[in-house]
Amino acid sequence: MLSIKNVTKIYKTGEIETKALNGVTFSVDKGEMVSIVGPSGSGKSTLMHILGALDVPTSGTYAINGTNIEHMKDDQLAEIRNREIGFVFQSYNLLPRTSALKNVILPMAYAGVEKNKRRETAVSILESLDMGDKLENYPNQLSGGQKQRVAIARALAMNPSIILADEPTGNLPTKQSSEIMDVFEDLNKKGHTIIVITHEDEIAERTKRIITLVDGKIIKEEKRK
Amino acid sequence: MTIVELMAESIDVLKTNKMRTALSVLGIIIGIGSVIALMTLGKAAQQSTVERISALGSNMLTITPGSESEGFLRGGGGSASTLTYADAQAIANEDRITTIDEVAAEYSSNAQVAYERNNSSVSVNGVTPDFFSIRNIDIESGSVITQSDVELLNKVAVLGPTVVTDLFGPGVNPLGQTIKINGTSFTVVGVTAEKGSTGRFNTDETVYVPLTTAQRGLFGVNHVSAIYVNTKNADDADAAENQLGYYLLELHRIKNPADADFSIFSSSELLATVSEVTGTFTTLLTGIAAISLVVGGIGIMNIMLVTVTERTKEIGIRKALGAKRRSITSQFLIEAIILTVVGGIIGVAVGVLISMFLTKRMGLPQIIAYESIGLAVAVSCVIGIIFGWYPAQRASKLQPIEALRYE
């Protein structure tokens, strides 16, 4: 499903080179729910950008569904993100002044899905996440947990291979945070592949496999349950 | 995303920033409006000038004394004394000049005209009968100067309507009254119809007397200020100019045309020159107005750059969700084009209203330079594309991670 081999990422600031990732190798199979943990500065965010096709590695290979993407151009990466990856961000990243429904429709609009089908799909996903009565609400009219549900609905819109959640509960109070993790567990049971990036142990413990990253290297891999 | 969807989104965005949208559109409105207003004014001024010159007599040739090589800037028409009434009569009787219809001679000077206690200084024109038809001057009442008046040196006068008002006031019939010109008594036999001013000639403020009376009786001269000739057809102006020129050289026994002691110009030549001059002015004014249009375009670009910076995060989100560079470029480009086209349309309305108001106030013909409307809308579209392109490109080139990180 997803395979990353010997990936390094080097940032250059003037003369100074920073190795954010230093030979990371792992793979995720279909239907897995994996968490990537590590302290800040461990390379978590960089790894998430590469996994999310938002950035390309300096060296090494990365394949999604057997397609290597490490040498792709901007527009090809955009297509990969659109079809294969569903993002859930810590700060939700919903478009302001845009209704919940329209936010969920957006990835389908970029994919050129037929208009009625977009709406139909968006409504049914939002309903399945208990957001059926908030379709026309704007993000600023929703609670943090509700915003994150809209973001998850948007991530699901194109039925992607992987759902990539970057600190999805970071801005939420404990109760809502636990509810969002329930949603992820539920989605995983339905067959979605989920990668959660987090620094919170309670969150990581709700996944089946924990990958620990320190100084750009994987130092521990732990299977649970 | 289809164009229609992008347009709907752009309109939403523009609505949320009403003040900013209004201000950036204002620049385009002013630019387009002033281009249309100035093009229309220029065209109206040109048309009005052409009409005035045509009123002089559209197929008229004017022969004035003085050499051509001294140019048109002689010390006023008629300052040289090389043309005489005999020249005019010779031209009228010459069979070789086939293209001309009527011939008139004129001697004009200023004189004091008085009736009872009223007096005024006006232009007194000694003319021959055909003068009135050549110069398109109609008679309101009474009669014109006749051939026998000229032959007998009759002391009769035809007055312009302004002179009638100045001398007699309202309610007095001037026909048959006696007026004094430089102390000599004249009988009023006619009044000309109102015509308005045509350049430096104001036929309404003129007193017409027989040519011979003016020459000998009033001013003591033997020459004329100008000879006017009417061509049979409007196309004959060039041919008539040649025939007249060679005939007069022969008559004055001048071998080298460069030494000619007269000059001929046709009203069609004058028309062409004046049209060209007003055309140049229109172009110049439009050019100045176009500068404000460019400034308006730069305003749009400025706003779009601010918008792109402000919406960096949004661009990042859109890119993360799979927006390609083209989608982002189109979105911002469409926004800029909507701004300029809306500005263009309002600008057309404003420009047309200003033109209508100004042409009315200035007494110019009520016309609209329709080609300027098409031009303005096309130009505003092009400005939208040109000045929207760079900000749109900048937006589309943002890296998704940089853009997502932006707060």
Side-chain angles (χ1 to χ4, degrees):
Chain A
M1 158 74 45
L2 178 157
S3 141
I4 191 162
K5 272 194 199 122
N6 214 13
V7 159
T8 61
K9 180 73 187 179
I10 297 165
Y11 291 111
K12 271 189 188 166
T13 323
E15 290 293 296
I16 303 155
E17 286 191 353
T18 317
K19 247 186 187 169
L21 289 179
N22 190 3
V24 172
T25 302
F26 71 95
S27 59
V28 175
D29 290 331
K30 190 170 165 52
E32 269 198 283
M33 184 162 174
V34 183
S35 60
I36 297 171
V37 296
S40 63
S42 59
K44 270 192 335 253
S45 293
T46 307
L47 184 57
M48 183 253 164
H49 291 152
I50 288 171
L51 288 173
L54 291 165
D55 204 355
V56 288
T58 310
S59 69
T61 61
Y62 174 32
I64 300 176
N65 275 339
T67 312
N68 277 68
I69 69 158
E70 67 270 7
H71 297 304
M72 281 189 173
K73 298 240 158 52
D74 285 359
D75 277 358
Q76 292 171 300
L77 288 174
E79 233 179 288
I80 293 289
R81 290 195 291 271
N82 185 247
R83 279 191 282 112
E84 308 285 359
I85 296 157
F87 288 98
V88 179
F89 298 98
Q90 176 175 5
S91 49
Y92 327 116
N93 282 349
L94 298 176
L95 289 191
R97 302 181 299 268
T98 308
S99 69
L101 187 64
K102 278 194 178 160
N103 262 291
V104 178
I105 283 174
L106 198 61
M108 294 186 274
Y110 282 126
V113 174
E114 193 264 322
K115 235 178 165 173
N116 291 327
K117 180 96 198 302
R118 286 180 208 171
R119 206 189 143 81
E120 226 172 83
T121 312
V123 170
S124 82
I125 295 172
L126 280 165
E127 277 171 352
S128 75
L129 293 170
D130 293 331
M131 292 292 291
D133 56 341
K134 300 272 192 272
L135 298 180
E136 295 305 327
N137 284 42
Y138 289 100
N140 58 7
Q141 297 167 325
L142 299 172
S143 74
Q146 288 170 330
K147 280 187 217 173
Q148 203 56 302
R149 278 167 199 266
V150 176
I152 292 170
R154 186 177 65 184
L156 291 168
M158 289 295 292
N159 195 21
S161 306
I162 309 141
I163 291 172
L164 202 55
D166 184 15
E167 305 275 11
T169 59
N171 285 3
L172 298 177
T174 323
K175 184 166 173 286
Q176 288 184 16
S177 156
S178 149
E179 278 170 12
I180 289 296
M181 284 316 289
D182 291 344
V183 171
F184 279 122
E185 276 182 346
D186 198 41
L187 288 171
N188 181 239
K189 272 182 201 139
K190 284 179 185 156
H192 288 281
T193 313
I194 297 167
I195 299 175
V196 181
I197 290 152
T198 183
H199 67 278
E200 289 174 76
D201 292 339
E202 310 96 87
I203 301 298
E205 270 157 25
R206 293 185 66 165
T207 64
K208 294 169 187 164
R209 183 174 151 205
I210 302 172
I211 295 170
T212 310
L213 208 61
V214 170
D215 287 339
K217 278 184 182 159
I218 294 176
I219 59 155
K220 195 166 83 179
E221 253 200 88
E222 178 187 353
K223 291 214 174 185
R224 304 163 51 82
K225 287 181 193 168
Chain B
M1 274 217 201
T2 63
I3 296 280
V4 179
E5 288 175 79
L6 285 171
M7 280 174 71
E9 270 194 28
S10 302
I11 291 170
D12 278 346
V13 170
L14 294 174
K15 271 195 210 152
T16 54
N17 285 317
K18 286 201 185 69
M19 186 66 178
R20 180 192 293 179
T21 305
L23 285 176
S24 43
V25 165
L26 189 62
I28 298 295
I29 294 176
I30 292 172
I32 296 282
S34 49
V35 166
I36 289 182
L38 286 173
M39 273 177 90
T40 305
L41 277 186
K43 208 177 155 186
Q46 187 169 15
Q47 193 170 318
S48 133
T49 317
V50 167
E51 275 168 13
R52 282 174 177 202
I53 293 172
S54 304
L56 282 174
S58 54
N59 46 357
M60 181 182 76
L61 292 170
T62 308
I63 309 166
T64 50
S67 91
E68 186 121 36
S69 59
E70 288 168 51
F72 281 105
L73 293 171
R74 293 178 310 270
S79 61
S81 51
T82 50
L83 285 180
T84 60
Y85 181 38
D87 286 328
Q89 285 170 310
I91 290 168
N93 295 328
E94 177 55 53
D95 295 335
R96 281 180 295 163
I97 303 175
T98 52
T99 47
I100 65 167
D101 186 15
E102 299 164 308
V103 180
E106 174 205 54
Y107 179 83
S108 69
S109 186
N110 284 326
Q112 201 70 20
V113 183
Y115 172 74
E116 293 177 349
R117 286 172 185 275
N118 300 331
N119 71 87
S120 106
S121 174
V122 295
S123 168
V124 172
N125 280 18
V127 296
T128 57
D130 285 341
F131 178 86
F132 296 93
S133 64
I134 294 177
R135 292 282 302 270
N136 291 339
I137 298 166
D138 296 328
I139 293 295
E140 178 78 29
S141 57
S143 64
V144 294
I145 306 287
T146 62
Q147 190 59 37
S148 71
D149 289 334
V150 175
E151 281 164 15
L152 300 171
L153 280 74
N154 284 342
K155 294 196 170 58
V156 292
V158 173
L159 307 184
T162 313
V163 181
V164 172
T165 318
D166 289 351
L167 291 184
F168 299 98
V172 178
N173 183 5
L175 294 182
Q177 305 283 356
T178 302
I179 59 168
K180 292 206 179 222
I181 303 174
N182 282 359
T184 310
S185 296
F186 281 75
T187 308
V188 177
V189 295
V191 175
T192 64
E194 202 166 318
K195 202 179 173 192
S197 163
T198 48
R200 65 195 176 94
F201 310 103
N202 187 343
T203 56
D204 295 348
E205 279 174 27
T206 305
V207 171
Y208 303 94
V209 298
L211 172 69
T212 46
T213 317
Q215 285 180 318
R216 271 167 259 173
L218 286 173
F219 303 112
V221 295
N222 205 24
H223 62 274
V224 296
S225 315
I227 296 172
Y228 300 102
V229 172
N230 232 356
T231 58
K232 284 178 185 153
N233 300 306
D235 306 342
D236 285 342
D238 286 346
E241 200 174 327
N242 270 325
Q243 289 181 343
L244 283 170
Y246 285 116
Y247 177 70
L248 276 175
L249 286 174
E250 199 181 297
L251 199 65
H252 291 183
R253 297 178 205 286
I254 295 164
K255 290 209 175 75
N256 186 353
D259 297 335
D261 55 3
F262 58 89
S263 52
I264 306 173
F265 74 97
S266 61
S267 53
S268 57
E269 261 172 56
L270 185 64
L271 208 59
T273 313
V274 171
S275 295
E276 202 183 303
V277 171
T278 48
T280 310
F281 269 108
T282 307
T283 311
L284 185 73
L285 289 174
T286 309
I288 293 169
I291 293 173
S292 67
L293 197 54
V294 172
V295 173
I298 293 171
I300 295 276
M301 178 143 127
N302 195 5
I303 287 298
M304 292 310 296
L305 283 173
V306 171
T307 305
V308 168
T309 310
E310 262 185 6
R311 286 158 68 193
T312 301
K313 181 103 182 179
E314 180 197 320
I315 295 163
I317 296 169
R318 288 178 183 277
K319 286 202 147 185
L321 296 180
K324 293 186 181 168
R325 283 185 54 180
R326 235 189 66 185
S327 306
I328 303 287
T329 309
S330 325
Q331 190 177 349
F332 284 91
L333 206 51
I334 284 174
E335 225 174 284
I337 293 173
I338 288 177
L339 281 178
T340 49
V341 169
V342 167
I345 289 168
I346 300 175
V348 166
V350 169
V352 168
L353 285 177
I354 291 177
S355 318
M356 279 163 64
F357 176 74
L358 286 181
T359 48
K360 200 162 186 183
R361 280 297 289 273
M362 295 162 78
L364 294 173
Q366 296 273 303
I367 55 159
I368 295 296
Y370 286 106
E371 71 275 14
S372 71
I373 294 175
L375 192 72
V377 173
V379 164
S380 61
C381 262
V382 170
I383 282 182
I385 292 170
I386 291 173
F387 290 101
W389 184 256
Y390 173 68
Q393 277 296 305
R394 227 162 94 154
S396 77
K397 279 182 185 159
L398 283 173
Q399 283 304 310
I401 40 172
E402 300 295 328
L404 277 173
R405 256 189 224 138
Y406 188 89
E407 287 298 336

